[in-house]
Structures are given as structure tokens and as C-alpha cells.
Amino acid sequence: LKVHGQAVHSSYNPAREADDLARKMLDKSRKPKGIILIGFGLGYLAESILRSAPDTPIVVIEPSEAVCRAAMGARDLCGLLPKISLWVGSNPDAALRFAEQAAVSRQNLGKWQVFVMPSARRYAASATAEIENTLNKAMRSSGQRLRILVVSPIYGGSLPVTWYVSDALKSLGHKVEVLDNSTFNNARVHLDTITNDPGHMNQIQGLFTTLMAETVTAKALAMKAQIVFFMAQSPATPHVLQELRKIGIPSAMWFVEDGYLFEYGLQMSPLYDVFFHIQKGRFEENLRAAGARVPHYLPMAADPNLHAPMDLSLEDRMRFGSDISHVGAGYFNRRKFFLGLLDYNFKLWGSDWEQPGALGTILQENGRRVSTEESMKIFNATKININLHSSTYTEGVNPNGDFINPRTFELASVGAFQLVDERSLLTKHFEPGREVVTFTNLSNCRDAIDYYLAHPDEAKLIAQNSRERVLREHTYRHRMEEALGVILQHYRPAFEETPLNTVESLVEEAGDDKELANFFQRMGEPDEELTLEGIAEKLRNEQGELGETDAIFLLMNEFHLWAKEKGLA
């Protein structure tokens, strides 16, 4: 087989060549949990690897459809194909998803190893490089336990996102601590009452921010954090970010704000090692011009554990239900636009609707702030959720808006039907007409309301499609997988990573000690992470007489608890 005049395999003895390659590949490391081979060619190398590692799962990714067709026509591969998982294509993200499915999860994939057939680098150079890079980046961020400090703001819209981020990172197996600055909110409010003098007030606020920012360094060092992840409006100062860089702890910011309204993001962006943002186009260009080190587009998402379908009581349906509703603050454009919907059964929820005028007739419960749980009830109880992005300067829809609000993803995750105003990035995340319905002005918004109120089955199908899309691509877990991949691609943390003490890894470490290996196997499923406290708890709950190994672990836990009490651990 030749591609562009170059032989894919040895023309003299391709089987022996494949055996030599396989021997070199497999001798270089410990036996992996699975093997991903990029490049199938005529199948010789895959056959050789299979002979050398018959019990190891093998995924083969062939970037060239033409090469794969040639292989199927040139050789009898009936003995090979049932024993491997073969995927053909050049899309790196699709290749990663296929490999993840074969490995069962991203975490398991981190224990696999990637090999590349040398000739694939020639006949499909670009595709092979992209697939290899995507796989390695994903595997670097999986199968390892990073210590991550997440820094919350004191208050504001990104405060709840802090906890979504933390939960997502924990679900990926990382050790996460949140520096919860919301505990300082009462102090912030109190300090604002101290003086009306602008000079004194600026000095007090500056000292207050410096104090909170210094706690970031202290906490990061105390836990030997490998990454510090800041949210929008988290307290940070140039001094603290420079200190983290000197120590070797990468800092990342997820700026989930409109950069044109909150200009501090652009000003601070060069100080972070990685700057994640929710806007594209001109804002990305502005970040690069400002000197941002690694700017990266990372859109908002949903937490399917929280943003989920609910079975509502009759009382909740009566209280929260309506034909159409909107949950959000009273921005300028919404105040203007919603005046054109007052003839519908419309419930308006949220705060900052002072002097609502005619909208006061639909504003619910005196315009109080709505909790997340209440928002989920409203989404579930409403036939049509109006999702109008906020604007301080347009009177209605801003189709050139360069970010997607979190509400778009949350409504989709709930499985609620939404009408969302047209946005420049929307089609990158949802398919209009199939997963969401868009409007560009008041007239076609009203047309859509009338149509879907009369066709609820169509609305239900679109809502189901949108939920499936979120679960497939737009959860906070997806976002954090991507974020860690970007950070680890550019930076190596100063502190060593903490290994995942899973049942499987501990059994492996026990080696020839059968008694210890059997002990760990008793403790849970292969991928369950074990801690000393957790093992002790399991032993206390077991029936029967304690063995010697059981007693040793209980004694170890007692020593550990004593050391913690004395401040020695």
C-alpha cells in the first residue's frame, strides 16, 4: 500500500516490521489498561500489538477513509476486527468520544496509552497530529487527582456558578476546596456605611480587597494547590497573582461577565495564566491586544443534578405555572420588550424591577429575588419560558450579542421549552427549530408564542431535544474537562499530584501480598476511591471477627485522628 508514492508498510516483510514496532512500543512502559493506536494501515501493527497484549483492550483510529477501504479490500481481517474497536475519521473530538466509550469513562481513559503508527504521521499528518493532541490533552486531565482551590466572589451572579464548578471538578475525581468569600458579604455591607468620603471609602475597600486576596495565597500554600481557579469578581490583586506565578501555581479566571460592561476583566486578563471568557469575536481580539497569556472561549453550562425536570405538586403548579414567564432582573430592554406581551397569561419573576409601571400587573411577589430551587419550579411549570438576554442599551433583541447567558443552558437542561432571542453564538451550541426556537423582534416572538401554545407536542419534543444536547455537550463537567485540558497543556503545577487511591490501584500496589490485595478488594468496586477514614468506617460496619489486617488499619486510623487533633497531620 502506497499513499502519495510512499509505502505505508515494509514492502519486504510488513509483519516483521510490525512486530519490531510493537515490541518497542510495549517495552517502553508498564502495561497500560488499554491501548489507542492511531493509524490502521493494512492492519499489521494492530495484529502485532494484539498478539503481544491479548488481554488488553485496543482501540484503533484510522484518520484516512481511503486507507481503511484499501485495507478491507486487500487483506482478510476477519480474525482481527472482532478483537479491536475500530473508528474511521479525522474529527478529533469524535475520536475522543469513541475512545471514551471504549474505556467506559474519561477517568479510565487516563490509564490508557496512545501509540501512533509512524506512516500515519506521513499520509494523514494533520489529522493524526490533531487526534493525538486531543487524546493526550484529555488523558492528562483524567486519571489523576489534582488539588484545586476555587475562589468565590463575595456576592453576585457568579457566586452560584462557583459551586457548580466545584461539584464538577469533584465529579472528575479531583480534590477541591472552595475559598468561600461570601462569608465576607456582611462585612462589605457594613464597610459601605462607615463613611461618605470617597477617598476614605476607596482606601477602606482597597485594604479589604487586599486582605481577602492574601487569603488566597495562604490557602493555596496550605493545601499545596496545583491550580487556583478564580470566578468573576473573586478578590485578586496583581501582587497575589504574581506570587502564585513565582510559586508555580497556575491561576485561571473564568470571566462569566459581559466584558464591555465590566471592563475590569480586560484590564486584569494579562495577570492570569489562563483567562476563560464567554465572548468571541472582537472581545477575543481585545484580550490578545491587552496581553492575555492564554485566552480561551469557555461558554456557560448547566448542572443537570440541579437544573433538572421536577414533579410539581398542584400547589406549586398553581403558584408558579403560567402560559409564559420570564425569570430575571429588570434590565432596560426587558422593561421595553415585555410591555408588548401583557395581554398573555404572563408571570414576571425576579428582582430589580423598581417602578415597574404597567409591568407591575404581572410582576410576581413584589419583585423579590427568586431562589435557584424556585426558578427550577417556574421553568418546569411554565408552558413557554421567554429567555431575553439582558441589555442596558437596546430596546429589545440584540442579534449581534456575543455571548450566551446561563439561562439558555439551564432551561434546556430542565427540559423546559424556551423562546430565546437570536444571538450570534447560539447556533454553535443549539440547533434553532430543533432544540430551541428563536425570535428577532416582538412580532415574531408573539407569533411563536401563539403557535407553540396551540402545538404543545411540538414544544415538548423541542424541549426534549435541547435537554439531550445539554447532557451530551453542555454540562459544567464538560466545561471543567475542557478547562483543565487547556491549563495542563500550557502549565505544569509546582506541587506533585495526589494519586487516586482506588481499589484497583491499591490492589495493584499490593503486588504479591495476596492478603493485602484481598483486603482492598473487599473494600469496594475497582474504581471506588478509598481513604483511611472510609476504610475504618467500612470495617466498623462489617459483621464478624476482625482479621489482623483489619485491626492494623483501624489502629492506623486512630493514630491519624490523634495526629489531626494535635495538629501534627
Side-chain angles (χ1 to χ4, degrees):
L1 176 65
K2 290 185 178 181
V3 179
H4 305 308
Q6 291 187 316
V8 173
H9 301 286
S10 165
S11 57
Y12 174 67
N13 195 330
R16 181 184 299 171
E17 177 196 51
D19 287 342
D20 290 342
L21 280 171
R23 194 177 304 113
K24 291 176 183 177
M25 288 176 173
L26 296 173
D27 282 350
K28 286 182 178 178
S29 64
R30 296 171 59 187
K31 181 181 177 182
K33 297 298 180 185
I35 293 170
I36 301 173
L37 174 63
I38 304 176
F40 183 67
L42 294 180
Y44 291 108
L45 184 54
E47 287 174 333
S48 186
I49 290 173
L50 185 63
R51 285 195 296 272
S52 300
D55 299 325
T56 304
I58 298 174
V59 169
V60 181
I61 296 171
E62 174 50 64
S64 170
E65 293 182 14
V67 167
C68 192
R69 282 196 299 270
M72 299 304 167
R75 299 188 64 218
D76 180 2
L77 299 171
C78 292
L80 172 65
L81 295 179
K83 298 176 183 177
I84 64 172
S85 298
L86 176 64
W87 185 86
V88 182
S90 58
N91 184 301
D93 293 327
L96 173 59
R97 286 196 294 271
F98 182 81
E100 286 177 343
Q101 290 171 359
V104 179
S105 70
R106 173 74 64 89
Q107 185 169 318
N108 286 334
L109 186 62
K111 303 171 186 175
W112 286 41
Q113 192 161 351
V114 176
F115 298 135
V116 181
M117 189 171 74
S119 57
R121 296 191 191 278
R122 298 193 299 272
Y123 69 73
S126 178
T128 296
E130 288 183 12
I131 291 170
E132 183 183 17
N133 183 54
T134 298
L135 288 169
N136 283 328
K137 187 166 66 173
M139 293 162 77
R140 279 197 300 270
S141 65
S142 63
Q144 56 180 292
R145 190 186 192 195
L146 296 167
R147 295 183 299 277
I148 303 173
L149 177 62
V150 180
V151 184
S152 87
I154 303 176
Y155 68 103
S158 62
L159 181 57
V161 180
T162 302
W163 301 102
Y164 306 152
V165 165
S166 171
D167 289 344
L169 290 170
K170 288 177 181 177
S171 76
L172 292 169
H174 303 294
K175 181 178 173 60
V176 182
E177 294 191 37
V178 176
L179 190 58
D180 184 7
N181 289 303
S182 66
T183 58
F184 288 102
N185 193 38
N186 288 338
R188 177 193 67 85
V189 173
H190 173 68
L191 290 175
D192 285 345
T193 67
I194 297 297
T195 178
N196 291 324
D197 181 84
H200 280 151
M201 180 53 67
N202 288 337
Q203 186 177 13
I204 290 171
Q205 289 176 342
L207 290 170
F208 184 52
T209 300
T210 299
L211 169 66
M212 289 188 297
E214 288 297 331
T215 66
V216 175
T217 309
K219 184 64 177 176
L221 286 172
M223 66 177 284
K224 292 188 176 180
Q226 294 167 292
I227 295 172
V228 178
F229 199 95
F230 292 84
M231 299 304 302
Q233 299 187 16
S234 298
T237 61
H239 172 73
V240 164
L241 294 171
Q242 289 164 5
E243 284 296 304
L244 291 175
R245 186 170 295 119
K246 286 179 184 176
I247 297 166
I249 305 175
S251 63
M253 155 68 82
W254 194 8
F255 187 66
V256 292
E257 305 271 27
D258 183 343
Y260 300 116
L261 290 180
F262 299 92
E263 295 180 356
Y264 78 92
L266 196 63
Q267 297 163 2
M268 292 286 287
S269 63
L271 301 175
Y272 294 93
D273 293 313
V274 181
F275 191 84
F276 297 108
H277 53 92
I278 63 172
Q279 292 166 283
K280 290 182 75 68
R282 186 161 59 91
F283 186 70
E284 284 183 308
E285 296 172 7
N286 292 345
L287 284 172
R288 291 189 177 89
R293 295 165 185 267
V294 182
H296 185 86
Y297 173 67
L298 192 71
M300 297 301 298
D303 181 347
N305 294 317
L306 180 64
H307 308 123
M310 301 174 69
D311 292 324
L312 300 178
S313 66
L314 179 60
E315 180 182 357
D316 280 342
R317 290 198 172 277
M318 293 294 292
R319 178 183 173 189
F320 297 112
S322 60
D323 284 348
I324 65 174
S325 74
H326 174 83
V327 180
Y331 280 87
F332 173 77
N333 65 321
R334 293 171 179 168
R335 290 173 180 265
K336 296 288 186 180
F337 192 87
F338 292 155
L339 290 173
L341 302 177
L342 292 177
D343 53 321
Y344 289 100
N345 174 20
F346 185 6
K347 288 185 178 179
L348 182 60
W349 302 85
S351 57
D352 301 319
W353 292 93
E354 295 82 4
Q355 298 180 340
L359 295 177
T361 59
I362 61 171
L363 184 62
Q364 304 299 301
E365 301 183 8
N366 297 315
R368 66 173 179 81
R369 182 176 292 274
V370 177
S371 69
T372 300
E373 183 181 359
E374 289 171 329
S375 294
M376 295 309 105
K377 290 181 177 181
I378 295 166
F379 296 165
N380 275 277
T382 301
K383 294 179 182 177
I384 297 176
N385 292 271
I386 305 294
N387 181 10
L388 176 61
H389 284 69
S390 61
S391 175
T392 58
Y393 54 88
T394 59
E395 292 196 359
V397 176
N398 176 19
N400 297 317
D402 58 357
F403 65 90
I404 306 296
N405 65 14
R407 193 71 80 225
T408 306
F409 300 98
E410 292 165 1
L411 283 163
S413 181
V414 166
F417 179 73
Q418 63 176 305
L419 292 180
V420 57
D421 55 315
E422 193 170 289
R423 307 285 285 182
S424 61
L425 294 176
L426 188 64
T427 56
K428 294 182 180 295
H429 305 295
F430 294 97
E431 183 180 340
R434 184 178 179 276
E435 295 168 336
V436 293
V437 176
T438 61
F439 61 91
T440 57
N441 54 49
L442 179 61
S443 176
N444 59 41
C445 178
R446 290 181 62 90
D447 290 343
I449 291 172
D450 293 338
Y451 180 84
Y452 286 103
L453 285 177
H455 298 83
D457 289 342
E458 290 185 37
K460 184 177 180 180
L461 178 60
I462 290 171
Q464 289 173 344
N465 291 339
S466 67
R467 175 167 165 77
E468 290 171 4
R469 181 71 179 269
V470 165
L471 297 179
R472 193 166 63 246
E473 297 179 18
H474 299 315
T475 69
Y476 282 101
R477 183 183 171 102
H478 289 118
R479 299 296 185 255
M480 289 303 102
E481 283 182 326
E482 182 176 347
L484 291 180
V486 172
I487 295 168
L488 296 174
Q489 183 182 9
H490 291 88
Y491 298 98
R492 185 176 182 85
F495 300 112
E496 292 184 2
E497 65 196 48
T498 304
L500 278 172
N501 289 319
T502 61
V503 169
E504 184 179 39
S505 66
L506 290 170
V507 168
E508 187 176 330
E509 285 187 35
D512 296 331
D513 190 334
K514 300 299 182 184
E515 183 179 349
L516 186 58
N518 291 337
F519 172 83
F520 286 132
Q521 285 177 330
R522 274 172 46 210
M523 292 296 106
E525 296 298 319
D527 60 350
E528 181 179 348
E529 185 183 0
L530 298 179
T531 64
L532 192 54
E533 295 92 335
I535 289 173
E537 182 67 24
K538 288 175 181 285
L539 291 173
R540 284 192 287 267
N541 291 331
E542 281 189 350
Q543 302 294 323
E545 193 173 329
L546 289 174
E548 182 180 357
T549 305
D550 301 348
I552 289 172
F553 271 90
L554 287 172
L555 184 61
M556 287 167 58
N557 188 54
E558 290 300 318
F559 274 120
H560 179 64
L561 294 175
W562 173 84
K564 285 177 67 175
E565 184 180 334
K566 299 297 183 183
L568 301 175

